[in-house]
Structures are given as structure tokens and as C-alpha cells.
Amino acid sequence: MELVCEAHGLSKQYGHTYALQNLTMQVPKGSIYGLVGRNGAGKTTLIRILCGLQSPTAGSYTLYGTPFRDPAIQQVRRRMGAVVESPAIYQDLSALNNLKLQAQVLGLPSNRDLPHLLELVGLENPGKKTVRHFSLGMRQRLGIAMALVGSPDFLVLDEPVNGLDPQGIVEIRELLLRLNREHQITILLSSHILDELARLATHYGFLDRGRMVQEVSAGEVEAACRKCTHVEVSDVAILARVLDGMGLDYTIDSSHTANIYAHPHVTELVQALAEAGCQVSAMHQQDESLESYYMSLVGGEGHG
Ligand code: ATP
């Protein structure tokens, strides 16, 4: 497996507090790697260290195989684009002029196709409008465009959908999926909105109190999150008898509800229950969420 980024024993200490503790991480090339962790878990600290904005107290990391202490890391960082906390955007400039300025800062030739970049992030229409008048979603997209000016193949985003409305969240999701699939950009991102992360990520790193609790692929999480059919009936004893007769695996939740861990033939089941004198009032598919998976890993205590 080719890795874009790898960390070994990474620690960051502030006085007696460890923001990161002996952390290990591997970001595979081509992945969308989601960092999951509650407030204070260390996500931003990790991202800031990987972006070179902070130094670790102990441990090391590599980017494209180059150790962070190697002077060549400066060159390797050019393959990386990042949006960490508030991106440095000039409020009184247009989107295009912000990109031009960013290209100058990076020492890139002035003939780069920056309007195309605006089109890519869905900002082709604001024209001369200054950033001051942009919506939050437009600013987030401009931040990503700024991070893309140097044509990186590794994009690092801290909470890219924070504060966005549902429409804005969908737009950023579609943009990130496009960048990953069509432009082969590896993406490392953190998000509090786990349902959203679950629609994007191919890999996860679950952080808790500065430690990497588990690194896992989305496929492995999916397999661990058992899909089931939730049913609400008038009599669970009859339901249990009917399900036993059909050879289906299930758990009884309450005096009226149960979860069936298979794909029951709905018509057959409802008919069998009706014949046995049991009414079905509701039935729907559900799966364990990424959130409950995370909570089962780290436990429910110690929020905040
Ligand atoms: P959030 O989701 O709330 O942004 P996070 O997972 O990004 O949290 P970090 O911001 O990395 O977490 O913080 C990790 C821990 O390190 C927290 O306990 C935080 O209080 C502490 N910390 C971070 N920066 C500093 C600092 N400059 N000085 C002291 N402690 C810090």
C-alpha cells in the first residue's frame, strides 16, 4: 500500500497536557481519510503538525516517504494543499484576485488557469464581487480553491463543512468526491458531522484523548455495523415464534419492538404474522451509525 503520509509515535505536549500521545497513522494514497474524535481529541493539533504549522514534541512523520526533519520536506510540502482553521483570504478582493495572489505567494507562473479552478469548486459566477459579500459556503469553496492553486495531490481540510447549511454540505461533499475520484487527490479531513463523513471517507482514524484508537477502512466499519430491519408489532412473543419458524436471526428490543438481522421477505413475514394474530405497525431498515461505532470504541464518558 502506497502511503502519502505516515506518523510514528507522534506526541505533542503542552505542560502536563498531551494533545497527541504516541500517535501512529497511515494515510493511503488515493484515500479520503476521515479523522474522527470528539472536542479536544487532537484532530486540529495533528493536522497543524502535518502541515508544518507546529512541531511535535516527540515522534516523527513522513510525507511521501520524506521524514519531516529532512530539508527536502519543504519541496514535498508543495504537493500538499491545506485549509486549516480560517484560510487566509482577503475580504476586499474578488475570488479570482485571491487566487492570483496565492499563485504569486507560491511563486507560480502568472499564466495558470485560475478561472478553471473557480469553475472546479463551483465559484465561476461571482465575477468582481468581493469575498466580504460571499456566503459561508462560497468562502469554504474559495478556501479549497486557494489550497488547490499549487496543484497538490494531497489536500488537508480541518472541519470543511463546519457551519454550512445542508445545501452547502452537499456541495462540499460533491466537490471533495470529484477532486478525489476525477483528479486523484488524496484527502485528509476532520469533521464533527459523522453522518456526513460516512458518505465520503474511504478510511478512518478514530482519535481519543490524543491517541489513535483505531485505523480502519470504510468497508471494515460497514461490515462491523450490522444492518438490520427494525419492526414494531402488537405481540413480540408471536413475532419471536414466527421468526424462529423462518430461521431468522433477531433480538427483541422491548415488548413491541425487535431487530431482524437478515433480509426478511417482507410480504411473507407480514402475512405469517397476520395469520398468527400479530399486527405490524412499523418496519424499516437501519444500520449502526459511524457515531455509535466510534462510541463503542472509546466509551461514552468524558465528553467535551
Ligand atoms: P475540536 O474538535 O474541539 O477542534 P480537536 O480534536 O481539534 O478539538 P485540538 O484542538 O487538537 O483538538 O486540542 C487537543 C488538546 O490539546 C485539547 O485538550 C486542547 O485543549 C489542547 N491544546 C491545543 N492547543 C493548545 C495550546 N496551544 N496550549 C495548550 N493546550 C492546547
Side-chain angles (χ1 to χ4, degrees):
M1 179 172 61
E2 197 176 337
L3 299 176
V4 167
C5 170
E6 193 171 12
H8 290 289
L10 213 56
S11 294
K12 179 74 185 178
Q13 202 174 350
Y14 294 105
H16 294 297
T17 309
Y18 276 96
L20 294 180
Q21 201 165 358
N22 198 20
L23 182 135
T24 296
M25 181 171 77
Q26 295 192 324
V27 180
K29 185 166 188 263
S31 64
I32 299 183
Y33 187 109
L35 279 177
V36 179
R38 51 195 164 202
N39 292 122
K43 305 178 295 296
T44 302
T45 305
L46 175 58
I47 283 178
R48 288 180 60 86
I49 287 176
L50 297 178
C51 291
L53 301 170
Q54 276 180 288
S55 301
T57 323
S60 64
Y61 66 92
T62 62
L63 293 173
Y64 292 98
T66 303
F68 83 106
R69 290 189 197 281
D70 187 326
I73 198 79
Q74 296 306 336
Q75 201 57 31
V76 174
R77 278 197 202 287
R78 289 181 161 262
R79 298 178 65 177
M80 195 171 166
V83 183
V84 182
E85 286 143 14
S86 316
I89 292 175
Y90 289 91
Q91 302 294 319
D92 292 322
L93 293 182
S94 68
L96 185 59
N97 284 336
N98 263 292
L99 293 191
K100 283 182 181 165
L101 201 61
Q102 179 70 0
Q104 273 177 21
V105 168
L106 294 176
L108 298 168
S110 56
N111 60 354
R112 290 178 76 79
D113 188 3
L114 298 174
H116 176 253
L117 204 48
L118 287 180
E119 206 178 303
L120 180 66
V121 300
L123 276 181
E124 61 272 40
N125 293 322
K128 290 194 165 57
K129 194 173 182 175
T130 58
V131 172
R132 189 174 298 286
H133 301 107
F134 278 18
S135 68
L136 184 60
M138 290 166 80
R139 282 164 205 262
Q140 297 284 59
R141 279 181 280 152
L142 176 58
I144 294 174
M146 302 270 284
L148 292 173
V149 167
S151 308
D153 41 26
F154 183 32
L155 190 59
V156 179
L157 307 168
D158 193 16
E159 300 280 354
V161 298
N162 223 6
L164 295 185
D165 61 18
Q167 170 74 18
I169 290 177
V170 172
E171 285 170 6
I172 296 286
R173 181 202 311 156
E174 286 173 357
L175 168 61
L176 297 183
L177 286 172
R178 211 163 48 240
L179 292 174
N180 178 253
R181 291 174 186 168
E182 294 173 21
H183 299 266
Q184 286 77 48
I185 295 178
T186 304
I187 299 174
L188 170 69
L189 80 165
S190 67
S191 179
H192 274 112
I193 309 174
L194 298 194
D195 281 351
E196 182 51 32
L197 204 54
R199 288 167 212 248
L200 272 176
T202 58
H203 293 75
Y204 297 103
F206 294 101
L207 289 181
D208 186 43
R209 284 169 268 198
R211 295 172 188 273
M212 182 63 80
V213 182
Q214 190 182 59
E215 281 191 295
V216 72
S217 73
E220 286 167 297
V221 171
E222 209 170 289
C225 294
R226 262 180 125 189
K227 286 195 191 326
C228 71
T229 303
H230 184 75
V231 282
E232 202 174 311
V233 292
S234 57
D235 188 330
V236 282
I238 298 179
L239 175 72
R241 221 167 42 239
V242 169
L243 292 175
D244 285 340
M246 293 176 121
L248 295 173
D249 184 16
Y250 63 91
T251 53
I252 301 291
D253 255 9
S254 72
S255 58
H256 292 285
T257 58
N259 291 319
I260 306 170
Y261 298 101
H263 280 302
H265 191 293
V266 175
T267 318
E268 255 177 41
L269 176 62
V270 173
Q271 209 166 350
L273 287 170
E275 281 166 14
C278 176
Q279 307 295 318
V280 178
S281 47
M283 188 180 282
H284 63 262
Q285 289 279 331
Q286 65 182 32
D287 50 0
E288 195 190 347
S289 63
L290 184 60
E291 187 161 342
S292 51
Y293 182 86
Y294 174 68
M295 293 314 285
S296 67
L297 269 185
V298 303
E301 89 292 359
H303 282 269

